[in-house]
Amino acid sequence: MTPPKPETSQEIGWTPIAEEAERAARVLHPEGNTLPRPRRRRVLTVANQKGGVGKTTSAVNLAAALAVHGLRTLVIDLDPQGNASTALNVEHRSGTPSVYEVLLGEVSLAEAAAVSEQSPNLLCVPATIDLAGSEIELVSMSSRETRLKEALSAEAFDELQVDYVFIDCPPSLGLLTVNAMVAAQEVLIPIQCEYYALEGLGQLLSNIELVQQHLNPTLAVSTILLTMYDGRTKLADQVTQEVRNHFGEVVLKTVIPRSVKVSEAPGYGQTVLAYDPGSRGAMSYMDAAKEVAERGAEQGVRGELS
């Protein structure tokens, strides 16, 4: 009697565990699947004065996804809470060379930048508690709105050889956020798929317009990312549709789902790509990063909001 043939994976059929393992393998081993380099170095300020919209989460996970796919990426943590530094697991105790010293001109960008253990292509300029009082100190300084721009010179970026720079802003429209907008070419706005999503967005766009008029005429809102999407609710679809109708192709096609894994990852000093690479959250950020990279390769800044 002929023994039965061992079942192939196709005959065994689909299982959730098998699918997640396959997704994790694609994230962890992207060989041959590198993303295109941008036509020019892209500096994006990740801003939204509304807290809890996934701003820091989006900054670190987009940066990690680009880094995993071969693009050298720098995250500048400009939020005194230091959450981006925590998620990338870089030292940010008081006394560590940080963005605070960079703003004051005491250390160079390269001296403050640390390599994240999650990828050799992923760098972070951390934020320490010293940054908490920096807005008050900046008020009396000369060129207070351009301190960060002066530190983020082309020469400083060339020394680090970075393709992408993400500046993670605090949830406010103060001097730190203004410095970030003056230093950047683009603004990336995360918007949560919830009722109050557009509340305060008009004020953010007004501030961006003021920066364009008086401090940085080349600044453009190039990217809007919808976060915390819950497919079980009609509200999420309504908000998504409203944002797409209003802002058009500036909005990424990829939507980031509400995910426990995404929320848990920073507690372990990791991005969601390192914490659970097969999760929906990780795959969504990978897809979003791919869109960002493809847009950068096509034409640099895509779209501009008036």
Side-chain angles (χ1 to χ4, degrees):
M1 183 176 177
T2 306
K5 292 181 180 179
E7 290 180 310
T8 65
S9 58
Q10 290 182 335
E11 290 170 336
I12 293 171
W14 174 90
T15 68
I17 294 175
E19 182 187 43
E20 184 156 333
E22 183 184 344
R23 291 199 305 249
R26 289 203 304 270
V27 173
L28 294 172
H29 305 287
E31 291 84 359
N33 190 27
T34 56
L35 294 175
R37 293 188 67 188
R39 289 193 174 185
R40 57 178 175 78
R41 180 181 294 117
R42 296 181 68 185
V43 183
L44 299 98
T45 286
V46 185
N48 193 329
Q49 82 274 21
K50 191 176 186 303
V53 299
K55 181 171 50 59
T56 298
T57 300
S58 296
V60 297
N61 284 297
L62 286 173
L66 291 168
V68 164
H69 283 85
L71 297 171
R72 195 160 169 86
T73 310
L74 171 66
V75 175
I76 297 174
D77 191 352
L78 206 60
D79 186 346
Q81 297 177 84
N83 291 336
S85 307
T86 299
L88 297 177
N89 199 26
V90 298
E91 184 64 64
H92 59 109
R93 288 181 295 182
S94 182
T96 304
S98 69
V99 73
Y100 174 73
E101 286 80 16
V102 171
L103 281 169
L104 296 183
E106 294 176 358
V107 301
S108 68
L109 189 69
E111 289 171 328
V115 180
S116 171
E117 62 183 22
Q118 297 176 47
S119 169
N121 289 324
L122 184 55
L123 308 174
C124 176
V125 176
T128 64
I129 193 63
D130 300 324
L131 191 62
S134 62
E135 294 216 35
I136 298 172
E137 294 181 54
L138 285 170
V139 169
S140 60
M141 290 184 181
S142 61
S143 306
R144 60 189 180 186
E145 298 94 350
T146 60
R147 304 288 298 189
L148 187 62
K149 181 181 180 180
E150 291 166 8
L152 305 187
S153 63
E155 294 76 20
F157 286 142
D158 287 342
E159 188 176 353
L160 294 173
Q161 298 181 316
V162 290
D163 299 303
Y164 279 86
V165 180
F166 292 90
I167 306 174
D168 183 38
C169 296
S172 70
L173 296 176
L175 266 175
L176 288 175
T177 300
V178 171
N179 263 269
M181 290 182 183
V182 173
Q185 303 145 354
E186 308 174 47
V187 180
L188 186 157
I189 305 175
I191 299 177
Q192 64 187 135
C193 299
E194 293 184 0
Y195 183 74
Y196 294 116
L198 303 181
E199 189 175 82
L201 191 57
Q203 183 62 48
L204 174 61
L205 296 177
S206 296
N207 278 44
I208 292 170
E209 188 175 348
L210 285 172
V211 172
Q212 288 170 330
Q213 291 173 357
H214 301 288
L215 296 166
N216 184 5
T218 63
L219 186 67
V221 177
S222 65
T223 312
I224 290 177
L225 176 63
L226 291 161
T227 63
M228 301 182 183
Y229 177 82
D230 189 343
R232 299 170 298 178
T233 67
K234 288 184 179 179
L235 178 62
D237 285 328
Q238 290 170 356
V239 171
T240 299
Q241 196 57 49
E242 187 174 345
V243 172
R244 292 195 189 282
N245 290 342
H246 191 76
F247 296 112
E249 64 177 12
V250 171
V251 186
L252 293 182
K253 294 186 177 83
T254 303
V255 174
I256 307 302
R258 185 175 287 280
S259 166
V260 173
K261 298 295 185 184
V262 170
S263 302
E264 287 177 350
Y268 294 87
Q270 295 179 322
T271 62
V272 71
L273 278 78
Y275 178 66
D276 191 346
S279 66
R280 284 191 313 140
M283 295 307 299
S284 297
Y285 274 114
M286 292 289 281
D287 291 339
K290 184 179 179 183
E291 278 192 71
V292 169
E294 287 173 349
R295 290 184 179 190
E298 286 171 12
Q299 59 192 69
V301 177
R302 177 173 179 159
E304 183 171 343
L305 301 181
S306 58

